[in-house]
Structures are given as structure tokens and as C-alpha cells.
């Protein structure tokens, strides 16, 4: 596929993706990451980003998401080893922390964020890089901090 024009390659990647980004559908994340990995491997991540971002209404929103992932991954690979801390205020996030099977607004937020960070750091970050994810319970009345901690404990996450 290397001989295809960038436009043709973008169309092929786009055809493999759902039309809309559905945050309650965790199966979309690996699809987006796969396309992003292909963009990075092809060396087209930056060019793809420029084309898709310049005309976002022309392309599926999922292709735009994949190009953002690819651009982030490609740039991260160029950096020296790093440590990143993601800080997430948890005010009224309990519904999003749940799985979609547990609540209609459930996004399995913690597991998905951890999966995204693992993908980025295990595949694209320089050796010696690390991350952690901090949920800050800012007095939420619905127990968001406890919900995040329950997921972290259940999954035995060491850096959450």
C-alpha cells in the first residue's frame, strides 16, 4: 500500500473505521489504535494529520481521532524518556466510570484510559518512560473517587 497516494491511503484507513466515535463502545479504541499504528509505521502520521485536520467535515470523526493518536505517538517517539502524570478531576464521573452494560452513560473510563496509556507508552514512548493516572476526588457527592479506586483495586493497577 506504500505506493498509494496519501488520499487513497486515508480512504482505506477510513473504510476500516466506524462512522462516529461512540464513547460507550470500548471496542473502538483498539480499532483506532490499529489505524494509528499503521499511520506511524507508514511514516504518514504527520501528513495524514495535516490533511484530515484541515478538512475535518470531509472525513469520518473516527479517522480524525486515529490521526490525532498517530501524531501523538509519532511525536512521543521523538522525545527523550519521560514520566507523565494524568490528573483527572472526578466530580460526578461515577456513571462514566461504569461499563456501558452497567449504565447507559457508562464509558468504562478508567480501564479505557489505562489501556490508552499502556498503548502509547508500551508501543511508542522511548525506553525508560513511565506514566501514572491520578483521580482526584474533589468532594464529589456520588462517590466518583471510590468508584475509580474500586476499578483500580479490581484490576490491580499499580500506577493508578
Amino acid at each position: 500500500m506504500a505506493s498509494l497516494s496519501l488520499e487513497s491511503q486515508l480512504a482505506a484507513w477510513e473504510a476500516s473505521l466506524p462512522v462516529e466515535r461512540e464513547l460507550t463502545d470500548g471496542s473502538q479504541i483498539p480499532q483506532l489504535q490499529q489505524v494509528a499504528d499503521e499511520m506511524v509505521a507508514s511514516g504518514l502520521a504527520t501528513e495524514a494529520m495535516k490533511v484530515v485536520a484541515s478538512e475535518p467535515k470531509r472525513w469520518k470523526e473516527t479517522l480524525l481521532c486515529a490521526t490525532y493518536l498517530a501524531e501523538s505517538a509519532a511525536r512521543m517517539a521523538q522525545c527523550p524518556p519521560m514520566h507523565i502524570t494524568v490528573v483527572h478531576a472526578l466530580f460526578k464521573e461515577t456513571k462514566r466510570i461504569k461499563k456501558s452494560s452497567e449504565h447507559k452513560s457508562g464509558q468504562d473510563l478508567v480501564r479505557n484510559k489505562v489501556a490508552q496509556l499502556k498503548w502509547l507508552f508500551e508501543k511508542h514512548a522511548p525506553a525508560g518512560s513511565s506514566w501514572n493516572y491520578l483521580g482526584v476526588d474533589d468532594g464529589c457527592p456520588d462517590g466518583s473517587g471510590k468508584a475509580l479506586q474500586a476499578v483500580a483495586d479490581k484490576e490491580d493497577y499499580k500506577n493508578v
Side-chain angles (χ1 to χ4, degrees):
M1 289 183 98
S3 62
L4 294 175
S5 71
L6 177 59
E7 294 274 334
S8 297
Q9 184 62 67
L10 286 169
W13 283 322
E14 183 178 52
S16 72
L17 294 169
V19 174
E20 294 180 345
R21 178 73 177 100
E22 175 52 60
L23 296 175
T24 61
D25 181 0
S27 71
Q28 287 188 354
I29 294 170
Q31 291 175 294
L32 296 170
Q33 291 169 339
Q34 175 64 39
V35 170
D37 286 338
E38 291 173 14
M39 287 179 186
V40 171
S42 73
L44 297 173
T46 300
E47 289 306 310
M49 176 67 181
K50 288 177 185 174
V51 170
V52 176
S54 71
E55 296 181 86
K57 294 193 184 298
R58 176 179 169 199
W59 306 96
K60 290 179 183 177
E61 66 183 348
T62 50
L63 183 66
L64 183 60
C65 291
T67 59
Y68 281 127
L69 288 174
E71 177 70 1
S72 295
R75 286 180 183 238
M76 180 173 259
Q78 298 172 0
C79 295
M82 68 193 86
H83 177 82
I84 292 178
T85 299
V86 176
V87 180
H88 183 179
L90 295 172
F91 194 78
K92 295 201 174 192
E93 294 285 18
T94 303
K95 293 174 187 168
R96 291 190 336 134
I97 290 170
K98 293 180 179 184
K99 295 179 180 182
S100 60
S101 61
E102 299 169 332
H103 191 278
K104 66 180 180 177
S105 300
Q107 297 176 14
D108 206 7
L109 179 71
V110 178
R111 287 179 190 89
N112 285 332
K113 287 297 168 212
V114 169
Q116 292 166 347
L117 288 163
K118 283 183 176 180
W119 168 79
L120 193 57
F121 277 80
E122 290 173 5
K123 285 193 171 184
H124 301 287
S129 295
S130 60
W131 60 272
N132 61 346
Y133 175 57
L134 299 176
V136 178
D137 186 343
D138 50 1
C140 179
D142 70 357
S144 295
K146 290 178 183 174
L148 181 142
Q149 189 62 55
V151 172
D153 290 345
K154 182 177 182 179
E155 300 298 331
D156 198 29
Y157 294 142
K158 301 299 182 203
N159 50 345
V160 177

